[in-house]
Amino acid sequence: MDGTLVDTVGMWNKIDYLLIKQVSGKEVDLSTLMEDKNNFFANNTKGNIYLDYSGYLIKKYNLNITKEELLNLRWIISNELLKKEIHYKEYVTEVIKNLKELGFKLALATSGTKNQVNIYSTKNLNTKLKLNLYFLRVFARKTPRIPAQTPR
């Protein structure tokens, strides 16, 4: 979805900014976060990439939190921003509706989580497109488990 239907690149930098600020009180430059994140993901492609990225943030910004706690907090922050701040790209809704009306069978594959797809489709305040009405299949990553005691 990212890069084709929605553009969340800037949002992930904002999430990391809010995450670091919430845990440490530090304010970090957004362009530095973007460069660091891009470098990390370009050079780390195996294992639990998001948990490893949490470890990277902990080490770089000297955060006093576990990787698991930081990752869970990142998902919580991202869920809230996805609901309020993400818009479909220009003309996306019209193109998908037209393709469906013309009889095309549509499927969606994303590196995003099932929870993120659900937010885009049903909970995002800016949504104009209910994905399940237009895509026969949606392939997404399994949503990470957030412990029950963590506010959702």
Side-chain angles (χ1 to χ4, degrees), residues 68-69 71-73 75-76 144-152:
E68 294 79 9
E69 291 169 331
L71 182 59
N72 284 336
L73 184 55
W75 290 126
I76 291 166
R145 186 181 160 279
I146 298 175
Q149 71 273 14
T150 305
R152 294 178 191 235

Side-chain angles (χ1 to χ4, degrees), residues 95-150:
V95 168
I96 290 175
K97 287 176 181 180
N98 287 340
L99 289 171
K100 180 76 172 181
E101 288 171 8
L102 291 170
F104 284 90
K105 295 181 192 299
L106 304 175
L108 174 66
T110 179
S111 63
T113 65
K114 291 178 181 180
N115 184 58
Q116 290 166 342
V117 170
N118 182 45
I119 289 170
Y120 294 138
S121 185
T122 62
K123 296 178 183 173
N124 182 293
L125 300 176
N126 307 304
T127 298
K128 300 174 192 160
L129 185 70
K130 303 296 182 200
L131 298 175
N132 62 326
L133 298 178
Y134 295 93
F135 293 94
L136 293 175
R137 294 287 310 261
V138 175
F139 300 94
R141 284 186 308 114
K142 182 179 175 186
T143 300
R145 186 181 160 279
I146 298 175
Q149 71 273 14
T150 305

